[in-house]
Amino acid sequence: MSTNEIRKEYTNGELTIVWKPGKCIHSGICVNTLPDVYHPKEKPWIQPEHSSTAMLKSQIHKCPSGALTYFMNKDSK
């Protein structure tokens, strides 16, 4: 699997964030927008449980590289 194909998933139960490190340009928009969620020096570095689904969706839409995407979990209400 090449670097561009690697993907990691992080969920808050309702939404799952998909991060593709091979696409990431490290613009910092995620960290600056939601510092309670994105912690680059920690593992896991994305902690979506620290924000609302609406806020996460809004921030992910601002990712300039497309490294961050999301999908809604089917079993969420």
Side-chain angles (χ1 to χ4, degrees), residues 8-62:
K8 307 245 178 178
E9 295 183 359
Y10 307 86
T11 188
N12 68 359
E14 184 176 31
L15 167 141
T16 296
I17 297 172
V18 178
W19 177 54
K20 296 179 181 173
K23 291 181 82 173
C24 187
I25 61 171
H26 306 287
S27 69
I29 291 172
C30 56
V31 176
N32 292 329
T33 305
L34 292 176
D36 290 340
V37 173
Y38 299 95
H39 304 270
K41 295 180 181 173
E42 295 179 21
K43 289 196 180 210
W45 84 276
I46 299 176
Q47 299 170 15
E49 65 275 13
H50 295 296
S51 186
S52 70
T53 295
M55 293 287 289
L56 291 167
K57 289 164 92 175
S58 175
Q59 179 279 306
I60 291 166
H61 287 291
K62 295 175 185 165

Side-chain angles (χ1 to χ4, degrees), residues 11-16 53 71-77:
T11 188
N12 68 359
E14 184 176 31
L15 167 141
T16 296
T53 295
F71 60 87
M72 298 304 295
N73 298 335
K74 291 180 177 143
D75 295 335
S76 65
K77 296 183 179 182

